[in-house]
Amino acid sequence: MEDPTVRLPYLAALTTLLSYGLLFVFGQMRDLFRKLVDWFNSDSKNLQGYAPICLGLEDFYTRRLYLRIQDCFNRPISSSPDAWFDVVERHSNDNNKTLHRTGNTSKCLNLGSYNYLGFAASDEFCTPRAIESLKRYSASTCSVRADGGTTNLHVELEELVARFVGKPASLVFGMGYVTNSAVIPVLLGKGGLIISDSLNHNSIVNGARGSGATVRVFQHNTPSHLEEVLREQIANGQPRTHRPWKKIIVIIEGIYSMEGELCKLPEIITVCKKYKAYTYLDEAHSIGAVGKSGRGVCELLGVDTSDVDIMMGTFTKSFGSCGGYIAASKEIIQYLKHNCPAHLYATSMSAPTVQQVISAMKVILGEDGSNRGAQKLTQIRENSNFFRSELKKMGFEVLGDNDSPVMPIMLYNPAKIPAFSRECLRQNVAVVTVAFPATPLLLARARICISAAHTREDLVKALKVISKVGDLVGIKYFPAEPEKDQSDPFRKKLQ
């Protein structure tokens, strides 16, 4: 669905459409010649009588567009995802159809990892405890939570998460994606109604589809349209029978990962209360990263956590680990323990990853005996706001809100995706570019993720490189602001 937060310039829209049109036409011509060659080739490897697993039209985008620039994606690294990391160099002998790793690496400034608070690298408090838990519990529980996969660390983490987010109880899972896709179908099914933000994450989309419930979408981050959808659906009731809905759940995100935008949580909560709809809040990118004490958008926007019925989050962003959680009432958590397949049938989180989250959370709370947690939270906020402000001053179209560590830079044109990514990498700045199907076809972007581990010198270097590449590629869609304050030594370095 189209992103209402993006102001697509007419010239950019025209050139982008023209570029994709040319790629499509030439791709179809190449497919035609390929079919002719296969038809004349008597030694064709196609299995007679079998339908093709990958149909031509279904993988057209992959073959004719993605493979041409796949060196910009899936870049392997050979170090921890700290502020700087080692990117493995690759080469191709067949126009990017296959890529081969070399023995060389490039040390690059990391602007792509979700290492918001810097816990993904070695930490003086977290790392020794994670290593000790590995020695004591081994690398895996080799069991599901319902059998022998629950250690005392799992119990401690669930109690700590509940206390951290301000809910009575919580339940942890081994994967953030599965937390959404497996929990949502358990919460409601046929006869239920899910009202989802149009730009919700794919894990929410798949969870909603798999639930069997009726799914309706409201315009991204627009409480007024949410109210219209709720009023209409409540008035009409279930399809065909028009019976009242068994339950209604509104699903939103704290920070939208492709937009860097904070949800309008207070207004959405007001609408949900008015129409007696439950609220499901995905805080994958906001928990630990925003709020005075890192407790997410509820703390940042002044919303009582008791007004949010179900809170979801992941440990992969701010805590330097893996997995996810659901925090809610004790009744809901107990219900999930008896019914959620991700709890009943999936191997539990490994002890070292659990210990990493516990230790990181204690640092954030100041329970490690230091103020490093508060310093990290201050650093991520200052870094994010500084970087976003400077990018906008340079003339880039940057999405998102202040305090958000996620900041997409709009690229639009397909040719600018590899041009921006490759040129930044040549200058030792690693960025993530995002295109269809993760975004709408015309709205390709580079997604910058800021970390508390970045120093101001790191950010200044990144800004200089991005500004230079932006001029070269032509993605400064707005006029640059004139410099006003020359007293800041870091701002002088940008010139």
Side-chain angles (χ1 to χ4, degrees):
M1 186 171 285
E2 221 175 278
D3 187 346
T5 63
V6 179
R7 298 168 293 170
L8 182 59
Y10 288 115
L11 181 59
L14 181 62
T15 56
T16 302
L17 284 169
L18 180 61
S19 298
Y20 276 114
L22 289 172
L23 287 169
F24 180 80
V25 169
F26 281 104
Q28 290 291 345
M29 291 174 62
R30 294 183 68 176
D31 276 2
L32 176 61
F33 286 121
R34 177 184 177 183
K35 288 179 181 178
L36 291 174
V37 171
D38 287 344
W39 186 71
F40 283 111
N41 184 6
S42 59
D43 297 327
S44 176
K45 296 181 180 180
N46 291 334
L47 296 174
Q48 297 298 324
Y50 285 83
I53 293 178
C54 299
L55 300 179
L57 287 177
E58 290 180 0
D59 71 334
F60 176 83
Y61 179 86
T62 302
R63 288 183 292 102
R64 296 307 181 200
L65 282 79
Y66 172 79
L67 288 181
R68 300 176 67 170
I69 61 171
Q70 70 165 326
D71 61 299
C72 300
F73 307 101
N74 306 311
R75 286 173 176 151
I77 65 173
S78 60
S79 65
S80 62
D82 203 357
W84 290 79
F85 62 180
D86 297 325
V87 179
V88 178
E89 296 178 3
R90 297 177 294 174
H91 71 91
S92 175
N93 298 320
D94 53 8
N95 297 318
N96 268 359
K97 288 183 179 178
T98 56
L99 294 170
H100 304 280
R101 286 176 289 178
T102 68
N104 302 323
T105 61
S106 299
K107 193 171 186 63
C108 297
L109 182 59
N110 180 7
L111 295 181
S113 299
Y114 305 133
N115 184 24
Y116 294 147
L117 294 184
F119 285 117
S122 180
D123 182 84
E124 62 187 69
F125 185 81
C126 302
T127 305
R129 287 161 177 78
I131 293 173
E132 183 59 34
S133 68
L134 175 63
K135 294 177 180 178
R136 180 178 178 185
Y137 296 98
S138 82
S140 173
T141 62
C142 297
S143 182
V144 301
R145 288 291 305 275
D147 295 335
T150 298
T151 68
N152 58 341
L153 290 179
H154 291 83
V155 176
E156 180 183 356
L157 177 58
E158 288 173 344
E159 292 174 351
L160 185 58
V161 167
R163 176 162 62 91
F164 184 73
V165 303
K167 299 298 281 186
S170 75
L171 184 63
V172 299
F173 302 88
M175 184 180 179
Y177 187 98
V178 168
T179 305
N180 276 330
S181 60
V183 166
I184 293 173
V186 179
L187 294 174
L188 76 173
K190 189 175 181 180
L193 173 64
I194 295 174
I195 302 182
S196 179
D197 187 286
S198 62
L199 297 183
N200 273 342
H201 190 264
N202 180 264
S203 60
I204 295 174
V205 173
N206 282 342
R209 287 173 177 170
S211 68
T214 300
V215 181
R216 295 291 180 266
V217 175
F218 70 96
Q219 291 174 6
H220 171 59
N221 219 11
T222 309
S224 59
H225 188 246
L226 169 62
E227 184 168 11
E228 290 178 20
V229 174
L230 270 168
R231 189 188 302 118
E232 179 184 355
Q233 293 302 316
I234 291 173
N236 293 336
Q238 297 184 39
R240 294 187 299 275
T241 64
H242 301 292
R243 292 175 180 172
W245 299 102
K246 293 180 179 179
K247 67 183 84 168
I248 302 174
I249 295 183
V250 175
I251 305 180
I252 52 177
E253 296 185 35
I255 292 179
Y256 291 89
S257 59
M258 289 299 168
E259 286 70 37
E261 188 177 11
L262 297 167
C263 72
K264 296 179 180 177
L265 189 59
E267 297 90 338
I268 289 173
I269 292 293
T270 300
V271 173
C272 290
K273 281 185 172 182
K274 180 178 179 180
Y275 293 92
K276 304 298 185 289
Y278 294 109
T279 309
Y280 183 110
L281 174 63
D282 178 341
E283 287 217 81
H285 287 267
S286 54
I287 192 67
V290 298
K292 185 178 180 181
S293 59
R295 287 178 165 87
V297 290
C298 288
E299 181 180 51
L300 180 67
L301 302 177
V303 173
D304 193 328
T305 55
S306 63
D307 291 332
V308 181
D309 300 288
I310 300 161
M311 301 178 71
M312 176 270 177
T314 65
F315 304 129
T316 52
K317 279 77 176 179
S318 296
F319 306 101
S321 186
C322 64
Y325 69 84
I326 291 290
S329 66
K330 291 181 179 179
E331 292 76 16
I332 292 176
I333 297 302
Q334 197 64 27
Y335 176 76
L336 291 176
K337 286 182 178 180
H338 292 304
N339 295 278
C340 183
H343 179 79
L344 296 172
Y345 306 117
T347 303
S348 62
M349 288 177 68
S350 67
T353 60
V354 175
Q355 182 60 62
Q356 168 68 23
V357 181
I358 292 173
S359 302
M361 209 166 279
K362 286 184 176 179
V363 172
I364 295 171
L365 291 169
E367 295 179 6
D368 64 327
S370 74
N371 66 341
R372 289 196 307 125
Q375 291 175 352
K376 285 177 177 289
L377 291 167
T378 300
Q379 187 75 16
I380 183 65
R381 182 170 58 253
E382 291 180 353
N383 283 356
S384 300
N385 292 339
F386 167 76
F387 205 81
R388 183 185 302 278
S389 173
E390 293 300 323
L391 285 175
K392 288 183 175 180
K393 289 176 182 177
M394 291 174 180
F396 292 102
E397 183 173 3
V398 184
L399 306 186
D401 297 315
N402 283 338
D403 288 354
S404 170
V406 182
M407 48 200 76
I409 301 173
M410 298 309 298
L411 303 177
Y412 299 120
N413 197 290
K416 295 180 180 181
I417 300 170
F420 182 80
S421 178
R422 290 166 182 163
E423 191 58 36
C424 283
L425 189 65
R426 285 193 192 98
Q427 301 189 44
N428 298 107
V429 174
V431 298
V432 170
T433 50
V434 188
F436 179 84
T439 66
L441 188 64
L442 302 184
L443 303 183
R445 63 200 67 179
R447 184 177 64 177
I448 306 298
C449 291
I450 299 300
S451 171
H454 289 133
T455 64
R456 187 56 65 94
E457 288 81 4
D458 292 338
L459 300 181
V460 168
K461 172 183 170 54
L463 287 165
K464 290 176 68 175
V465 170
I466 291 174
S467 178
K468 182 179 178 181
V469 176
D471 289 328
L472 181 66
V473 177
I475 56 172
K476 292 184 177 180
Y477 295 106
F478 301 108
E481 291 185 14
E483 289 291 340
K484 296 179 182 178
D485 182 15
Q486 301 295 331
S487 61
D488 188 344
F490 292 109
R491 189 158 282 124
K492 288 181 180 179
K493 292 181 181 180
L494 291 174
Q495 299 180 340

